[in-house]
Amino acid sequence: MGKPKVVLGVSGGIAAYKACELLRRLTESGHEVRVVPTAASLNFVGEATWAALSGNPASTEVWETVHEVPHVRIGQAADLVVVAPATADMLAKAAHGLADDLLTNTLLTARCPVVFAPAMHTEMWEHPATQENVATLRRRGAVVIEPAVGRLTGKDTGKGRLPDPEEIFEVCRGVLARGTAGPDLAGRHVVISAGGTREPLDPVRFLGNRSSGKQGYALARTAVARGARVTLVAANTALADPAGVDLVRVGTAVQLREAVLEAARDADAVVMAAAVADFRPAEYASGKIKKKDGQEPAPVALVRNPDVLAEISADRAREGQVVVGFAAETDDVLANGRAKLLRKGCDLLVVNEVGEAKTFGSEENEAVILASDGAEVQVPYGPKEALAEVIWDQVAPRLAPRRA
């Protein structure tokens, strides 16, 4: 089996220089890459750079090497086409089937998965024309990554920044891994919580847990690769922002509840992967609690935090919404998991054994996915991305039919 063939389209935005890093990651991971830049993009990065980095010629016109019919052959031979950056102009051309250069011709002839990584000013991204073009492309099966929020050109800041090339690469890797399976979450909005909440005791101390957020982030990345619009509610994580997600940062269980309930209003699925503290201190000390010589510290009174999983399971924001919970257990794992599934009322419960050297902070995981209909799916020890894929495999067929 030969190397996967990837076409890297580069359109004319200032973020074109970042595509060099994406190209490096693709080639170093064993992909054969053909760069197809637009004429406008060559104002930022020249043909010689693309040819040197990819080891293949880079051209913009359909009239070069005409005997090879490049405007047809490049797209036909590709296993993946990724356009990064994708400007508003490029999205409009792709949505309307225009073909005035080699890249747009390639997009029309490609029968493989296509990924667009938009980059533009906030006003251009939010314009109704751009949003309709994005919706059209997604409806046709393309994966359009949500742009990041951050510094743009000049002094402007907002949504429209090209996501980190490493994160775009992870999306491409996920799309390629799915092969012809297609974006089965296209047109869906999924909400994922990740990380661990922290309940403040005083200005310097808190009650927390060992959750790193890696499983929730893996769920977010795989959902993006499957075409979903993703809202990620992240509690106290130190991980790179996944490409293509709307990221909401929270600290406490109460803040997480508010963010999840808000995002879940129009969500097709909610996956509660965060480790939410069951209790919080009954009182918050406004100053640091001091040690007193010869005295034991006063007991810390605790109160219950809201049960977010049970709440959203009992009161679905929309009909047919799928709710997934996680159960981190240290003993009687399956028995406790089955009891929790009944108690919480969710559709799926991902049950795993945890401990100081298990799961938390690790790159791997193993679990049993319990379903409210009695089904059980064993997921063997492996990368957290693999578990995430199985979870979405279980969610997808349970989703309500798409609205017209």
Side-chain angles (χ1 to χ4, degrees), residues 54-90:
S54 68
N56 286 310
S59 56
T60 65
E61 298 296 335
V62 298
W63 308 112
E64 298 177 22
T65 60
V66 174
H67 65 288
E68 296 178 359
V69 201
H71 70 291
V72 174
R73 298 287 181 258
I74 294 174
Q76 286 179 334
D79 297 303
L80 173 73
V81 177
V82 52
V83 182
T87 61
D89 179 65
M90 176 53 61

Side-chain angles (χ1 to χ4, degrees), residues 4 15 21 98 163 175 190 192 201 226 230 236 243 250 286 302 310 381:
E21 175 64 16
L98 301 182
V175 172
V190 301
I192 302 161
L201 178 62
R226 295 171 81 137
V230 178
N236 306 297
V250 297
S286 59
L302 301 176
Y381 189 77

Side-chain angles (χ1 to χ4, degrees), residues 379-399:
V379 184
Y381 189 77
K384 288 184 173 178
E385 286 78 8
L387 173 57
E389 293 285 5
V390 179
I391 292 170
W392 293 124
D393 287 343
Q394 297 302 307
V395 169
R398 291 176 165 83
L399 293 170

Side-chain angles (χ1 to χ4, degrees), residues 23-327:
L23 172 58
R24 184 184 70 81
R25 291 188 176 275
L26 287 166
T27 55
E28 289 186 354
S29 58
H31 300 83
E32 181 181 336
V33 186
R34 174 77 180 263
V35 182
V36 181
T38 65
S41 76
L42 298 182
N43 289 306
F44 303 101
V45 182
E47 284 186 38
T49 299
W50 297 124
L53 292 177
S54 68
N56 286 310
S59 56
T60 65
E61 298 296 335
V62 298
W63 308 112
E64 298 177 22
T65 60
V66 174
H67 65 288
E68 296 178 359
V69 201
H71 70 291
V72 174
R73 298 287 181 258
I74 294 174
Q76 286 179 334
D79 297 303
L80 173 73
V81 177
V82 52
V83 182
T87 61
D89 179 65
M90 176 53 61
L91 294 173
K93 288 179 177 179
H96 290 85
L98 301 182
D100 60 354
D101 63 5
L102 187 55
L103 178 53
T104 49
N105 273 269
T106 298
L107 289 169
L108 280 182
T109 57
R111 293 299 178 264
C112 60
V114 178
V115 175
F116 292 93
M120 63 197 74
H121 268 71
T122 306
E123 294 83 357
M124 299 174 74
W125 171 252
E126 294 177 346
H127 194 283
T130 302
Q131 289 301 302
E132 284 194 25
N133 291 333
V134 168
T136 296
L137 292 168
R138 285 173 171 162
R139 190 171 61 250
R140 292 175 184 162
V143 175
V144 184
I145 301 173
E146 289 285 313
V149 176
R151 184 69 179 267
L152 306 173
T153 53
K155 298 180 179 179
D156 294 338
T157 299
K159 189 169 185 177
R161 182 182 176 90
L162 186 74
D164 187 88
E166 182 177 357
E167 292 298 321
I168 299 174
F169 168 72
E170 291 299 327
V171 173
C172 293
R173 196 164 63 94
V175 172
L176 274 168
R178 289 186 55 74
T180 58
D184 58 349
L185 296 180
R188 303 293 193 173
H189 176 209
V190 301
V191 176
I192 302 161
S193 69
T197 61
R198 294 178 179 177
E199 310 304 321
L201 178 62
D202 64 20
V204 297
R205 301 182 181 92
F206 60 85
L207 301 181
N209 57 67
R210 297 178 183 276
S211 179
S212 66
K214 290 180 179 179
Q215 186 63 70
Y217 275 53
L219 282 157
R221 289 190 179 95
T222 52
V224 169
R226 295 171 81 137
R229 177 167 68 90
V230 178
T231 300
L232 178 62
V233 180
N236 306 297
T237 62
L239 305 172
D241 296 350
V245 308
D246 289 319
L247 185 65
V248 181
R249 296 194 181 278
V250 297
T252 67
V254 171
Q255 293 170 349
L256 183 140
R257 173 186 176 272
E258 293 173 353
V260 168
L261 290 179
E262 174 65 25
R265 289 181 179 180
D266 67 342
D268 296 282
V270 181
V271 182
M272 293 293 297
V276 182
D278 293 323
F279 309 100
R280 67 180 184 274
E283 295 184 2
Y284 173 74
S286 59
K288 180 182 176 182
I289 301 173
K290 300 289 188 179
K291 289 186 296 185
K292 295 182 180 179
D293 291 340
Q295 296 184 23
E296 292 297 318
V300 176
L302 301 176
V303 296
R304 284 185 178 272
N305 270 324
D307 190 330
V308 187
L309 177 59
E311 183 176 356
I312 61 176
S313 297
D315 187 15
R316 312 281 170 122
R318 57 186 294 185
E319 186 178 355
Q321 187 177 73
V322 177
V323 178
V324 183
F326 272 68

